[in-house]
Amino acid sequence: MTISQNPTLDTFEGLFNEAEFVYRHLGSNDTKQAALLSAIGYKDMDSFIDNTVPEPVRMHKELNLPLAMSEHGALARLRAMADNITVNKSYIGQGYSPVRMPAVIQRNVLENPGWYTAYTPYQAEIAQGRLEALLNFQQVCIDLTGLELAGASLLDEATAAAEAMAMSKRMSKSKSTQFFVDDRVYPQTLDVIRTRAKYFGWEVVVGDFETAKSGDFFGALFQYVGKEGDVKDLTDVISAVKKNKTYTSVVSDILSLVLLKSPADMGADVALGSTQRFGIPMGFGGPHAAYFAFSDKAKRSAPGRIIGVSKDAQGNTALRMALQTREQHIRREKANSNICTSQVLLANLAGMYAVYHGPTGVKRIATRIHAMATAFAEVIRNNSDSLSVVHDQFFDTVVVDCGSEKLATQIFENADNVGFNLWRINHTRISVSFSEVSDQEDFNVLTQLFVNKAHNLPASATVSLNTEHLRTDDILTHPVFNSHHTEHEMLRYLKTLEDRDLAMNRSMISLGSCTMKLNATSEMLPITWPEFANVHPFAPRDQVTGYISMIDSLQEQLKAITGFDEISMQPNSGASGEYAGLLAIRRYHESLGETDRDICLIPQSAHGTNPATAIMMGMQVVVVKTDENGNVDIDNLTAKCEEHSTNLGALMITYPSTHGVFEEGIRHICDLIHKHGGQVYMDGANMNAQVGIMQPAEVGADVLHMNLHKTFCIPHGGGGPGMGPIGMQAHLAPFIANHTISPVHNAQNDCSAVSAAPYGSASILPISWMYIAMMGRDGLLEATKLALLNANYVADSLKDHYPVLYTGKNGRVAHECIIDIRPLKEETGITESDIAKRLMDYGFHSPTMSFPVAGTLMIEPTESESKEEIDRFINALKSIKAEAMKAKAGEDGWTLEDNPLVNAPHTAAVITADEWTHPYSRDVAAFPLPYIRQNKFWPSVGRVDDVYGDKNLMCSCPSIENYM
């Protein structure tokens, strides 16, 4: 069925036009699609698809999904689910707190496509705004932890703790295989640590400080403050364990560090935690940016990304991603971690929270929270003989022992009845965690609940923490945290940074393998609805039936699309999905008593995260060759299967291939792996070529991760958030990740977690639900067809200018194509990097550079780009090729050493400088094609010096003079 873009006006069906959104999402209408088809030699879409997608993988049936819904209809359906969510006042704590996101930040960052549609800042010259925001985030982490360096965010607190464990093993001089975990650590953190430790072959020992001091551990993890809110000085225990060569990490409440002595002052090697309290809604568990701070000596062993300060070609201060830029792709199975996506948008929000409030503002908030907790504890102490306050030293959480189970139950249930969620620790103990949103009215209710009389807050705010617990150094002293405290100042600062970035609200971002498509406004609206934003992940299940309904509905949508029997929504990134998929495979083999099936076959062309993930799962990577067409070498695969038949655990394969081609032999490949007792893990990075045309489960995959931040429209956010749920065949379904506190309703009790929250970054799932609902059964198929058509149109248009590296049997590519720059480089010396930088002058972000093949550009136009935009991009690449050849020929005095490509990008300052010494004109430098004059984007810095940045690593905010 084809959806009409121009429905008839003589029927109510046509007048209502429920499928209107489909053509809002697709970049080209029927007429333009016909022009695209004609340009590559086809009369209709069906013949093109028949010639592009191999018959053996085609599903030849309609997706089992409803037809398209209108935008307002889908929002109304989702609204009905949200109405079944009860948003109680949350005093649960346990690592998640209610917050107030400043409205100026919500409107101008979170809800602004200039921020949320940007890509990971690999092209630094057109990402200086995001990079500065991330540098601010790093500076906040450095200031509050006292450590020398900090990364640009990890996925969540629990996985950051697991990364700290792995880094401890790399850094420690101890030969022990035991890792100590403080028994005061949050249960969800311990759960993820245990999952990760098992397949590294490490033993997790949980205990008190005396256990830590007396044992032989390669690493130790302490909680500051503890899960019951108690504050303990860790100085002595850290000093003691370090004498045993134990590398120490401290999980710290970021807001408590505004008042408390820093982890560095207590001797910690690493400090980590969540920055959710800096203005990020709880969101039923995420997304939230974890922070990870460490000493200088650990900089080359730390996981994730670091933003560093460098200089550009003109000697000006310029920012860039340093050291770990594509670490897992370069080092593959030797990588420190499999991290690919981080939480950039959330880190930017948290950093801006600190910028807006400044040191005085955050101290006021932290002190208010602590003083309210102190006042509450005093009411309990002074007004009840049956109640007692358990801990003398706390930051925000007061644990009350009710003396009897009956009284504890009564208080807990009464709180629920008046709309307050407390935390039940055990039969007699309840904890009350105060937050930024706690106020006088809440204090009245809470005191009434516990002592049967409402009390007002006292006139004086008391800090009850002992002096030795308090920090004495200044925080957030950099000018950026002391300059933007009025809304006008903040608004203009955010706009200044936004204007330094090239995002999808300006032009297409044609990144192969990254699927930068439309993130529609209607998809984004629900994420800030209070029902989706303000719910605690451990809220009672009877309060979140609407949330679970939405998640269940999305799971059913994804089952219909992929053909799998079960979906796990817990993995909160694509790499986390890879990990969860291999985890299910390993658990499955173990259930059969086949614990030695630890060989993981991975094609040469695979994403770098694949081998890194396999190593994290304790598997041995065996590389499979690819043939001259970029396909898996079947003979080599057969030989490897036979060689490792007894121990074959899995094959990790991307489909369509990382080379952008539908491999004809995928069914045979899957059958071959199964014949030798292995399981097929399919990497879902390229699902945008599959939806509605083929089903991964039907062709033989056992498990697949889906990048919801690619195919299913969650925006990239400048490098995160993402979601990477996995689909599984029935035999793997029992082995999905569960959760120790809030059980996943379709998981087994003995399956530990991979993420901190039961459903990962749940609050962004409405984006994908809306996309699938509004596209419907037929719209999703239309999107896939157009994605394939656009990619083949690009390949055909460029093939006479740049060789297209890989094609399928009929000369067709899938949803992306790879153009080979190596012949041009050999002929002229012009590199793929020169082309990437010159594209900035044309107003475009570069395609994926040197992946999966060095010296190439991988282009994915997606279905959302119009023919006109694609033509502008094609013309830019043709013009750049002509410029390279002109430099080679020496026309008009151009040389291979001095031409617009090697000097790109050209900033406004360079173009308007008094002196101009180049053989080409300023006009050619700035406006190489006519359309650019109407829509010029100026890179804010010249070409960034990567070598200088790595040799002189600096990941904190430079002084303000550096920008002058």
Side-chain angles (χ1 to χ4, degrees), residues 719-765:
M723 274 290 278
I726 56 173
M728 289 158 291
Q729 301 278 16
H731 64 281
L732 292 181
F735 306 105
I736 66 172
N738 205 337
H739 195 274
T740 187
I741 293 179
S742 184
V744 176
H745 57 290
N746 54 347
Q748 293 190 146
N749 291 336
D750 58 349
C751 290
S752 54
V754 296
S755 300
Y759 299 102
S761 296
S763 68
I764 56 176
L765 295 178

Side-chain angles (χ1 to χ4, degrees), residues 592-898:
L592 301 177
E594 298 178 338
T595 56
D596 54 352
R597 286 197 174 273
D598 62 352
I599 297 295
C600 189
L601 303 179
I602 301 180
Q604 286 176 322
S605 61
H607 291 104
T609 52
N610 289 176
T613 302
I615 293 298
M616 288 171 60
M617 282 305 309
M619 303 186 82
Q620 302 176 58
V621 173
V622 174
V623 177
V624 178
K625 294 180 181 177
T626 53
D627 63 23
E628 60 185 11
N629 296 316
N631 300 320
V632 172
D633 185 320
I634 300 296
D635 290 341
N636 186 252
L637 176 64
T638 301
K640 294 290 172 64
C641 284
E642 291 174 353
E643 179 184 353
H644 299 287
S645 183
T646 304
N647 303 107
L648 179 59
L651 166 75
M652 298 186 81
I653 188 167
T654 303
Y655 198 83
S657 75
T658 311
H659 292 142
V661 176
F662 284 104
E663 296 193 38
E664 297 273 343
I666 185 64
R667 287 186 186 273
H668 174 65
I669 289 170
C670 293
D671 289 343
L672 184 61
I673 298 301
H674 293 147
K675 175 185 172 184
H676 289 274
Q679 297 286 291
V680 176
Y681 170 90
M682 188 174 282
D683 186 311
N686 295 342
M687 267 203 76
N688 215 44
Q690 292 185 15
V691 179
I693 285 183
M694 61 163 284
Q695 290 180 312
E698 198 271 332
V699 300
D702 297 291
V703 60
L704 163 123
H705 88 262
M706 295 154 264
N707 289 331
L708 300 190
H709 51 291
K710 294 184 181 182
T711 303
F712 298 101
C713 288
I714 293 175
H716 283 246
M723 274 290 278
I726 56 173
M728 289 158 291
Q729 301 278 16
H731 64 281
L732 292 181
F735 306 105
I736 66 172
N738 205 337
H739 195 274
T740 187
I741 293 179
S742 184
V744 176
H745 57 290
N746 54 347
Q748 293 190 146
N749 291 336
D750 58 349
C751 290
S752 54
V754 296
S755 300
Y759 299 102
S761 296
S763 68
I764 56 176
L765 295 178
I767 300 170
S768 297
W769 187 94
M770 284 289 296
Y771 170 67
I772 297 171
M774 292 188 297
M775 292 297 284
R777 180 192 71 194
D778 303 322
L780 290 169
L781 176 59
E782 294 294 314
T784 304
K785 290 177 178 178
L786 186 53
L788 297 172
L789 176 57
N790 283 345
N792 279 276
Y793 176 70
V794 169
D796 264 39
S797 300
L798 291 176
K799 65 184 180 183
D800 293 336
H801 302 267
Y802 305 91
V804 175
L805 198 54
Y806 299 111
T807 60
K809 185 172 68 175
N810 297 320
R812 292 282 146 234
V813 298
H815 63 307
E816 60 194 12
C817 62
I818 299 173
I819 59 173
D820 196 350
I821 310 303
R822 291 171 297 184
L824 181 66
K825 181 178 180 180
E826 188 173 339
E827 185 177 1
T828 66
I830 297 297
T831 68
E832 67 280 5
S833 182
D834 294 328
I835 294 173
K837 304 309 179 189
R838 182 58 171 155
L839 273 169
M840 298 174 191
D841 291 329
Y842 285 78
F844 287 109
H845 192 292
S846 170
T848 302
M849 191 171 68
S850 290
F851 175 79
V853 181
T856 65
L857 295 174
M858 183 161 62
I859 304 168
E860 181 179 358
T862 83
E863 72 275 11
S864 295
E865 298 300 340
S866 67
K867 181 178 183 298
E868 292 79 5
E869 182 74 356
I870 294 171
D871 282 339
R872 280 191 287 270
F873 175 75
I874 290 167
N875 290 336
L877 281 172
K878 289 179 178 178
S879 178
I880 287 170
K881 173 68 180 292
E883 289 176 339
M885 301 315 293
K886 183 174 180 177
K888 182 200 172 191
E891 294 179 26
D892 298 331
W894 288 25
T895 67
L896 292 175
E897 293 73 35
D898 192 358

